[in-house]
Amino acid sequence: YGYTLIPVDVEPATVLIVFSLGALVHVVLVLLVKGEDAADKFHDYDGLAGKMLLALRLALFAGFMWALTSTMQGAPFRIRRFLATFGIIGTLYFVGPPLLVLVVSIFAPYWRPPILNSCLILLQIGTAWWLHSLFLSRGEYFEVSDLNSSSLPGGTPRGTPRGSPRDSPRDRKRD
């Protein structure tokens, strides 16, 4: 919900319920995978557990889009621009594997695993690199988030850009 971007109040009980539900779904999926016969599966997304995993990924995408649009509604323009970029990356991350499974289904069964695994690896590397550069560099996220407003020496208070009259030279000597 963008708690480092805009002020958000989330009840701890809600967080506990969401994480408990996620843990329960994880346990059910593990039990289904352990109980399935793997002899007739060509890749990890064949069978009931694989289909449930793809459906779960699409449900998580729907939740991601709901949270993203609700965060965008109350956000200033700079944050909305960042969230639009984040939404593109998130869409690739959540929707990419189900689409790849559909595309790979046109190939012969013995070609599906290497093509699917190669494409999934490339997709995960690409989205991980993109998310890394988005969140862990001093780029757009750093500028619009609370990371830019540290109360530690060298940090600037929220809304006070470096070099403004309220940013004193004495504070910058520690950088």
Side-chain angles (χ1 to χ4, degrees):
Y1 296 108
Y3 65 90
T4 60
L5 301 172
I6 57 175
V8 175
D9 290 328
V10 178
E11 294 293 325
T14 305
V15 174
L16 183 64
I17 289 170
V18 169
F19 281 111
S20 299
L21 187 64
L24 180 68
V25 168
H26 179 75
V27 168
V28 168
L29 285 173
V30 168
L31 291 175
L32 280 174
V33 167
K34 296 295 181 186
E36 282 185 339
D37 183 21
D40 60 342
K41 289 175 36 175
F42 289 105
H43 52 76
D44 291 337
Y45 295 108
D46 275 349
L48 179 62
K51 303 297 184 237
M52 285 181 62
L53 198 58
L54 292 174
L56 178 65
R57 200 165 187 95
L58 292 174
L60 287 171
F61 172 68
F64 170 75
M65 290 306 293
W66 174 76
L68 186 72
T69 54
S70 65
T71 302
M72 285 178 115
Q73 287 175 355
F77 177 74
R78 285 179 51 193
I79 294 175
R80 278 186 279 158
R81 188 179 64 205
F82 163 76
L83 289 173
T85 304
F86 181 57
I88 293 169
I89 300 168
T91 300
L92 282 173
Y93 178 79
F94 284 112
V95 179
L99 287 178
L100 284 173
V101 170
L102 285 176
V103 169
V104 165
S105 67
I106 64 172
F107 293 103
Y110 55 89
W111 280 108
R112 290 177 193 165
I115 293 172
L116 182 64
N117 288 336
S118 301
C119 290
L120 284 173
I121 288 170
L122 290 174
L123 178 71
Q124 292 221 343
I125 288 171
T127 54
W129 176 78
W130 201 356
L131 288 168
H132 167 268
S133 64
L134 188 67
F135 287 112
L136 299 178
S137 67
R138 289 186 174 246
E140 193 175 358
Y141 176 72
F142 181 81
E143 293 296 323
V144 299
S145 72
D146 286 340
L147 294 176
N148 193 22
S149 61
S150 174
S151 60
L152 296 173
T156 57
R158 187 127 178 98
T160 306
R162 199 176 268 290
S164 71
R166 291 176 52 200
D167 181 31
S168 70
R170 184 184 72 221
D171 291 337
R172 282 184 276 154
K173 286 181 185 176
R174 296 183 184 174
D175 285 349

